[in-house]
Amino acid sequence: MPNIAKCSTFVGSTALVTLGGFMLVLWPAIVDLVLTNELMLTPGSVQYGVWKETPINIFMEFYMFNWTNPEEILDENKKPHFTEHGPYVFREHHQRVNVSWKDNNDTVEFHQIRTYHFDKELSNGSLDDIITTADPVALAAPYVVRKNPALLFGLNLVMDVAKTERSISKTVNQFLFEGYNDTLLDLVNSIHNPEFNIPFDKFGWFYNRNNSWQYDGKFDMYTGKDKLTKLGVLTEWNDSNRTQENFGECAMVNGTTGEVWPPLSNTDDVDLFVTDLCRTLKMEYSGKVNKQGIEGNLYLAGNRSLDNGQQFPENKCFCGGPDSEESCMPAGAMNVSKCKFGAPAFVSLPHFHKADPIYLEKVDMPPPNEETDELFIVVEPNTGVPMEVEAKLQINLLMQPYKQIGIFKKVPRVLIPMFYFKQSAKLTPHLAYLMRIVLDLKMIGFIVAGVFVFIGLVIFISGIYMTIWGRWSKVPKPADTVCLIDDENVSTISSENMENPVT
């Protein structure tokens, strides 16, 4: 019996030390292989399931600006005054459809559906609230044909027939998703002039968007199968690697859509492609932050993102064309008119945060708040998983004088804030818990391997002690005792027993 214990001790301890050693050497490579396979966007991967239908809550909050003194717009001593209403909160759901794998699964083509459901409990106000603002159609029509005096003159007649005014009052729902009929829009569409290319029968900022798979266009992006560093990076949007709304380098389709990121092992800035802007936003690295016990990279929309060429000359190509000096606004308002069917739309951060002071000098509205008006993304750098997102943008329309248009003949040139939205999402506590486990897998493996090695060494040293100084040293040693080990049994047989077998 002592010999059986001795053999078991040394064999078991050697096995534990060997297993622990192998784990210390191989475990990191095994974890990296498993993570790579699950992070790739391929059929059956964990990443695919999360991407196909977003499992976390996404909230879209709208804040509407109510114009309180439209009748004073011609008074040089008065500024347009705006009060803020909201939030009007919607729960947003994302689903990828028409998924088609290409190039041996190196890229994937898809559309996406965004669905919005109003959440009355989280909102401060009703969708039936009446908001007064500048008439978007009235502002858009002359801007589209601003370089054609003859068309401006004809448009003025049409606006007189339609009894168009500078301001309009509608419900929140009509301005956002429901849309509303507009006489001027109907008349302009009936002309069938190619310069008025408006494919809608109603006006609404998000009219026809809810539950539409066509609204955001068609995407083509890398799956990470070839290189994980390309995961989520777009190759094309609407069958082209360039947009039609900008020129030069600014027209390139770069970056990710914001929901799938590659691992970010350095502190470089990242690119975010925003379909609502038809352009890429440069998100600037701003350090490390801790979210729910996980360290992530913080990226902000900084001065480079919002500049129109004054501070960063390479951004000049975002102004709409090499000869479009009039559309190169001061820093802080991005010209997206070509993305909005020619309407004079300019996008800024809420309350003109980080923008040139000239915008706030011309209007009376709530001031910016550095803490609440920031556009940011937090990404876990090892996996590329977005941990928290707050996308905030303000939609503004340019009001300017046109000598051919009666109602705008003497108005000031000013950006009218229409509304801003805040789209937010973050990991649930359960997903954050799973993320912490994934990030700790290597350390867990090292700890387990270390425990195996430690226990094995303790048993081995104990066996040596027992053999030399302990109980095993006092037991008569049979001649030529050997250990025979097979798959199921450990036994000791002396040479004498081998010569005289028991029958």
Side-chain angles (χ1 to χ4, degrees), residues 484-496:
L484 296 181
I485 307 173
D486 56 25
D487 292 339
E488 299 179 354
N489 302 293
V490 178
S491 60
T492 58
I493 306 176
S494 69
S495 58
E496 294 178 359

Side-chain angles (χ1 to χ4, degrees), residues 38 40-55:
E38 295 303 329
M40 288 189 300
L41 194 65
T42 53
S45 69
V46 171
Q47 182 81 275
Y48 176 76
V50 173
W51 169 80
K52 185 72 166 57
E53 191 160 353
T54 309

Side-chain angles (χ1 to χ4, degrees), residues 9-22:
T9 296
F10 288 114
V11 170
S13 62
T14 301
L16 284 173
V17 172
T18 302
L19 178 59
F22 273 116

Side-chain angles (χ1 to χ4, degrees), residues 165-180:
E165 298 183 3
R166 288 183 289 263
S167 64
I168 190 170
S169 298
K170 297 291 180 182
T171 68
V172 171
N173 198 26
Q174 286 175 314
F175 275 129
L176 293 179
F177 291 99
E178 182 182 334
Y180 59 88

Side-chain angles (χ1 to χ4, degrees), residues 260-442:
V260 177
W261 295 84
L264 304 170
S265 57
N266 51 45
T267 57
D268 293 341
D269 298 339
V270 297
D271 291 327
L272 176 67
F273 188 79
V274 185
T275 58
D276 286 328
L277 308 181
C278 303
R279 58 166 283 181
T280 298
L281 277 183
K282 180 71 70 175
M283 300 296 293
E284 300 174 15
Y285 176 77
S286 189
K288 299 286 186 179
V289 293
N290 190 288
K291 298 290 183 179
Q292 302 187 69
I294 305 171
E295 187 176 72
N297 290 359
L298 173 64
Y299 300 93
L300 304 176
N303 293 330
R304 182 181 294 274
S305 303
L306 304 169
D307 184 58
N308 290 321
Q310 291 92 338
Q311 302 175 42
F312 302 92
E314 63 272 20
N315 282 9
K316 185 69 176 293
C317 48
F318 280 125
C319 290
D323 301 320
S324 300
E325 292 294 334
E326 64 169 340
S327 60
C328 279
M329 304 285 279
M334 297 173 280
N335 182 0
V336 296
S337 57
K338 288 190 176 182
C339 188
K340 301 302 178 186
F341 309 104
F346 293 80
V347 173
S348 66
L349 293 182
H351 310 109
F352 295 109
H353 178 46
K354 295 183 178 179
D356 191 293
I358 191 172
Y359 297 115
L360 283 174
E361 290 173 0
K362 293 189 174 185
V363 295
D364 185 5
M365 63 180 293
N369 184 307
E370 187 172 353
E371 293 185 4
T372 60
D373 291 339
E374 202 74 73
L375 190 163
F376 70 85
I377 298 175
V378 178
V379 181
E380 199 292 306
N382 298 295
T383 60
V385 173
M387 298 193 297
E388 186 170 350
V389 177
E390 286 196 5
K392 306 164 189 173
L393 292 172
Q394 179 174 301
I395 310 301
N396 313 280
L397 289 181
L398 177 64
M399 177 182 288
Q400 63 181 1
Y402 304 92
K403 62 182 181 180
Q404 298 91 345
I405 306 295
I407 62 173
F408 294 126
K409 194 171 184 177
K410 296 182 180 180
V411 299
R413 192 169 192 265
V414 57
L415 274 189
I416 302 293
M418 308 301 287
F419 70 95
Y420 73 90
F421 65 82
K422 170 185 171 183
Q423 183 189 51
S424 60
K426 63 181 179 180
L427 289 180
T428 63
H430 176 66
L431 290 176
Y433 169 74
L434 295 178
M435 174 63 69
R436 289 194 294 270
I437 292 178
V438 168
L439 295 174
D440 290 339
L441 274 178
K442 287 185 180 180

Side-chain angles (χ1 to χ4, degrees), residues 123-139:
S123 300
N124 180 26
S126 165
L127 292 181
D128 294 324
D129 290 349
I130 300 295
I131 299 293
T132 298
T133 187
D135 188 334
V137 179
L139 291 178

